[in-house]
Amino acid sequence: MNSILEQLKQRRIALGLKQQDMQVLVGVSRQQYQRLESKGNPRLDTLELIALGLKADLMLIPREKLRDVQALLTGERLTEREHSELVDNPWKGLLDEE
């Protein structure tokens, strides 16, 4: 999976935005945004603000659910068993509860 910074860049490009457009959207100068995309390490509140400007949400996905989420996002077909388990209880294992 791409780093979160690469995902931000890909999302910005997909929306047809330039780095300088981020100043209008979220109040981050082109230089600040360029530095963020290239070197990273943004504060969480900055990251949330940028995601909002890119019409995106940040979320933590438990590793054991990552494949399911990726399959849903890419349209990948789950096996019949995986699909059945997900439909029966989409929250199973999310909080390490059985």
Side-chain angles (χ1 to χ4, degrees):
M1 183 157 223
N2 294 341
S3 77
I4 197 159
L5 300 175
E6 183 61 29
Q7 290 178 56
L8 288 175
K9 181 178 181 178
Q10 289 175 0
R11 178 68 177 161
R12 176 181 58 76
I13 292 169
L15 292 173
L17 299 171
K18 294 182 168 50
Q19 289 177 337
Q20 64 227 30
D21 297 328
M22 299 309 290
Q23 185 164 7
V24 173
L25 287 173
V26 296
V28 176
S29 73
R30 184 194 59 77
Q31 293 88 350
Q32 289 173 307
Y33 189 80
Q34 182 180 29
R35 189 171 37 252
L36 184 140
E37 272 189 6
S38 66
K39 296 180 184 171
N41 203 19
R43 292 180 17 191
L44 182 57
D45 60 342
T46 302
L47 199 52
E48 289 175 326
L49 185 64
I50 289 169
L52 183 65
L54 294 174
K55 299 177 185 168
D57 290 310
L58 298 175
M59 67 174 43
L60 293 175
I61 302 169
R63 285 196 175 135
E64 64 273 9
K65 296 292 183 180
L66 184 58
R67 185 181 180 295
D68 296 334
V69 171
Q70 288 174 326
L72 289 171
L73 293 174
T74 61
E76 178 186 328
R77 306 285 269 152
L78 298 175
T79 66
E80 190 63 37
R81 181 174 171 256
E82 291 170 327
H83 179 70
S84 177
E85 288 174 359
L86 192 57
V87 169
D88 289 343
N89 186 359
W91 306 109
K92 181 180 177 190
L94 192 60
L95 300 174
D96 289 334
E97 300 171 353
E98 290 298 321

